[in-house]
Amino acid sequence: MTSVRHVLLAAAVLLAGCSSSKVAETEKPAPLTSITASAQLDLAWNTSVGKAKAAYLLPAVVGDAVFAANTGGDLYRIERGRSIWRTNADVGLVAGVGASKDIVVVGGLHGVVLGFEVDTGKLRWKTVLLGEISVPPFVDASTVLVRVGDSRIVSLDPANGETKWFYERATPPLSLRTFDEIRRVDNFIFSGFAGGKLVALTASAGQLAWEGSVSLPRGTTELERLSDVVGAPVLAGKMLCAGAYQGKVTCFDVTRGVAVWGRDIPTAVGIDADNARVFVTDERSSIYALDLATGATLWKQDGLRMRQVGRPLVVGDNIAVADFEGWVHLLDKKDGHFTARVKTDGSPILAPLIRSDEGFVAQTTDGGVFAFRTR
């Protein structure tokens, strides 16, 4: 059952994404200053799918198809801005979308998980899990991974929705609710948990392969001790990196689970990385580039401070971020200067930007879906 603590913490992260200090609470969002565009950021197409509000809804991209949903239960397949099909889940949607070449999966109220045919939108299966669906499902050819509540990952068969295995752990009294996606790399599944823990599970049986601490809780009150891993763990070469709320960014040796370095940069939205740098949006919406090998700061961009900036996305020679007024910004990976800027529909972009073949896709809280092409 959804508790008051979860509702309050979800609102704090999704709608604020900032530090809990008194300074942060009174600091005004930085005004946007003019830039000289040096990169090309083109709107390929846009459409509307209905309001996403503060639910954990984000687009899924499979080839030329984009799948997007709204809180009213509508699920769309979109190609080049045109709706190919639309179906209704007959339940309010709270998490999704996850998709593969065969199936599209969303999470609904009361633990409902629904799998739809990619080509037709026809319902393939419906599974009801005991608990609240808390993050968008991860979907590939062999499994559907669903995060239930704060402490459980359930593996479902993509053919029929039947449970294959589950992994469960204890959680602290308080925990965050945000876009904590699951990552799979070869035969391992990586996911962050409350208390700053990052785990590696075997994909076949959900057995614990290793566990590491991204960050340790600090402070005297339960609120001060919140230090949950946020966003998706990111694989860069032999390093697996993740960030924690009110905590650190830490990179591990992916094979052994041993921490290589950690930096005291708290984040409410998560990180991305390329083969040389780790990019992080901190709790005041300053954006950092860190050296992948050492964690040293390469540059810091304060021009979007307190604008509720989301998770960075590596796009070619740039990184893309979005803010609370629906602006999408490109920053140069090498030094962090702004290279392009485009506005969407003016409503917040709370969901992470999703990479596509030509660039990336954004979904706003008012239901706009925007596909961008970068050059």
Side-chain angles (χ1 to χ4, degrees), residues 256-292:
R256 298 181 297 146
V258 176
V260 177
W261 59 259
R263 284 290 309 277
D264 285 318
I265 302 176
T267 177
V269 293
I271 66 171
D272 200 8
D274 62 12
N275 59 4
R277 311 168 189 87
V278 177
F279 304 99
V280 55
T281 303
D282 77 4
E283 291 174 348
R284 279 186 166 86
S285 291
S286 295
I287 302 163
Y288 291 76
L290 309 178
D291 184 89
L292 177 63

Side-chain angles (χ1 to χ4, degrees), residues 111 138 199 297:
F138 170 88
V199 302
T297 299

Side-chain angles (χ1 to χ4, degrees), residues 137-197:
F138 170 88
V139 182
D140 66 13
S142 61
T143 190
V144 173
L145 299 172
V146 182
R147 183 75 169 265
V148 184
D150 304 315
S151 60
R152 191 154 46 111
I153 294 176
V154 180
S155 174
L156 304 177
D157 189 323
N160 52 30
E162 293 181 358
T163 298
K164 298 166 66 177
W165 55 257
F166 70 89
Y167 170 82
E168 188 168 14
R169 62 185 296 120
T171 57
L174 292 182
S175 57
L176 293 175
R177 302 303 306 282
T178 184
F179 288 92
D180 296 328
E181 294 128 273
I182 299 167
R183 183 81 72 196
R184 178 172 179 175
V185 180
D186 298 327
N187 296 320
F188 293 95
I189 293 161
F190 300 98
S191 182
F193 283 90
K197 298 298 184 181

Side-chain angles (χ1 to χ4, degrees), residues 321-372:
V321 294
D323 70 21
F324 76 120
E325 291 183 322
W327 285 98
V328 175
H329 313 264
L330 288 188
L331 287 72
D332 187 277
K333 289 198 305 184
K334 293 181 180 179
D335 60 18
H337 78 272
F338 291 102
T339 59
R341 179 181 294 150
V342 174
K343 194 168 189 179
T344 56
D345 60 15
S347 66
I349 301 175
L350 302 180
L353 304 175
I354 303 300
R355 191 173 289 105
S356 66
D357 290 342
E358 296 182 322
F360 58 92
V361 178
Q363 182 171 353
T364 71
T365 58
D366 277 356
V369 179
F370 295 80
F372 291 96

